[in-house]
Amino acid sequence: MSGNPAVVMRLVASAYSVAEKAGAIVRKVLHSGELGIVEKTGANDLQTLADRLAQKSICASLSRRFPKVTIIGEEDLPCEEVQEDMIENGQAEEILQKSCPKEYEALKEEELVVWVDPLDGTKEYTEGLLDNVTVLIGIAYGGRAIAGVINQPFYNYQLGSGAVLGRTIWGVLGLGAFGFQLQEVPADKRIVTTTRSHSNKTVTDCVNAMEPHDIIRVGGAGNKIIQLIEGKASAYVFASPGCKKWDTCGPEAILHAVGGKLTDMFGNPYHYNAEIKHMNSAGVLATLRNHDYYVSRVPQSVLQALKSD
């Protein structure tokens, strides 16, 4: 490591600590029993006190240390002073010790865009399906997702009161991904993970066209990408608008850092420039391996129902 780590590595190191702080906030709100649920656009699009507090903590912490970075969060919150105890100033030392990939060494703050989903899987959070819940922070440069952090606030929660809750996964393109054990589904099996609460005929038709041996229906985009990199699913198939850039930026960077791929249903990449529209309107298709096979299986009727970004 050089004496002065590159901006992007310092940003990832901060995002790691900030995501852990947000995860602690998410746990604290749940344990308080006062979730403060409001509907945004309907019963499947919820916001809780945890979403609001976690985003305030993430955005305020990162913007204080990196004032020229553009930060885009899911929740539309009023600008107000954030209490000092919501600010996380720490940086993960293990990340600062890593060498920055050559192509990112000279990046400046103002060239970077951070996409924040303070609580991915809010509906599942309100229903007690806690392993579906993640905190997502993605970092983009030139419209490309180049680094990401995923915190799972309730990792290990099924193990009971003695377990240490939570873990944080992170990755940088050209460096790799860390905090988990990379595994693959056996080559002779196709396991598709898809939406739990946002399904329709187009989504179902597309999943079935993949000829899966098994289908998993769970919440959270971050959670589904973790299933891919831990060998629980071969493909994440969601042939519908619904996912947004803050859902996919961080997870995509981690998936790409281990050789996987995330595109729309046409096989085209998503872009993460600051001025881009937020909706991933042409669906999401993500795989660890054999991406072309899954793209080739998408029915024409599904492609006609979606419009490419």
Side-chain angles (χ1 to χ4, degrees):
M1 182 197 77
S2 64
N4 189 17
V7 168
V8 71
M9 298 306 289
R10 289 191 285 112
L11 182 56
V12 176
S14 287
Y16 184 104
S17 297
V18 165
E20 294 211 316
K21 169 87 166 180
I25 291 169
V26 169
R27 288 192 295 270
K28 187 176 179 181
V29 170
L30 185 75
H31 296 150
S32 77
E34 299 291 331
L35 298 190
I37 301 167
V38 294
E39 289 188 12
K40 292 197 285 186
T41 60
N44 284 335
D45 188 15
L46 304 178
Q47 184 196 82
T48 69
L49 178 61
D51 296 80
R52 297 188 287 276
L53 292 179
Q55 179 164 309
K56 283 181 182 177
S57 175
I58 294 167
C59 294
S61 299
L62 292 178
S63 62
R64 179 177 289 192
R65 195 183 273 266
F66 304 95
K68 294 179 183 173
V69 168
T70 300
I71 302 172
I72 303 170
E74 175 178 9
E75 309 306 338
D76 192 9
L77 300 176
C79 283
E80 55 189 27
E81 200 61 36
V82 174
Q83 292 169 276
E84 203 56 37
D85 65 356
M86 297 280 284
I87 302 288
E88 174 56 60
N89 292 311
Q91 292 184 303
E93 192 57 40
E94 65 162 298
I95 299 175
L96 295 176
Q97 298 293 337
K98 301 269 188 195
S99 295
C100 181
K102 279 269 184 286
E103 61 266 41
Y104 306 137
E105 281 181 349
L107 296 189
K108 301 182 179 73
E109 278 187 35
E110 54 268 36
E111 296 178 291
L112 300 171
V113 180
V114 174
W115 293 87
V116 176
D117 189 339
L119 202 172
D120 184 41
T122 301
K123 184 171 165 59
E124 287 70 26
Y125 177 68
T126 66
E127 296 172 0
L129 298 168
L130 302 179
D131 52 340
N132 291 197
V133 173
T134 58
V135 175
L136 306 175
I137 303 176
I139 299 166
Y141 162 66
R144 190 173 180 219
I146 64 164
V149 174
I150 303 177
N151 176 269
Q152 292 175 285
F154 300 101
Y155 182 74
N156 276 342
Y157 86 103
Q158 298 100 327
L159 300 182
S161 57
V164 176
L165 280 183
R167 72 166 170 176
T168 304
I169 292 168
W170 67 279
V172 178
L173 282 189
L175 183 62
F178 308 86
F180 67 99
Q181 191 68 44
L182 182 65
Q183 293 185 43
E184 294 183 36
V185 173
D188 60 345
K189 290 208 78 168
R190 281 187 302 280
I191 303 172
V192 169
T193 184
T194 191
T195 184
R196 171 181 165 265
S197 54
H198 300 280
S199 200
N200 57 41
K201 185 180 185 302
T202 305
V203 170
T204 305
D205 286 351
C206 194
V207 167
N208 292 336
M210 304 297 158
E211 299 186 337
H213 300 100
D214 200 6
I215 301 169
I216 308 168
R217 291 181 174 84
V218 292
N223 179 41
K224 295 183 192 73
I225 297 299
I226 291 171
Q227 290 183 319
L228 297 181
I229 62 178
E230 293 198 312
K232 296 183 176 73
S234 325
Y236 164 23
V237 180
F238 183 54
S240 173
C243 255
K244 310 270 196 343
K245 298 295 186 295
W246 42 72
D247 293 309
T248 52
C249 184
E252 175 184 318
I254 290 168
L255 180 62
H256 284 194
V258 293
K261 197 163 187 181
L262 185 150
T263 66
D264 66 16
M265 302 309 296
F266 296 80
N268 299 321
Y270 277 113
H271 301 286
Y272 297 95
N273 314 69
E275 64 282 356
I276 207 90
K277 66 175 181 172
H278 296 163
M279 180 69 76
N280 292 333
S281 56
V284 172
L285 180 60
T287 60
L288 184 60
R289 304 284 178 260
N290 305 318
H291 196 78
D292 290 347
Y293 166 82
Y294 291 95
V295 171
S296 75
R297 301 291 307 177
V298 178
Q300 278 303 312
S301 60
V302 168
L303 295 179
Q304 284 161 10
L306 298 167
K307 60 177 187 294
S308 185
D309 228 13

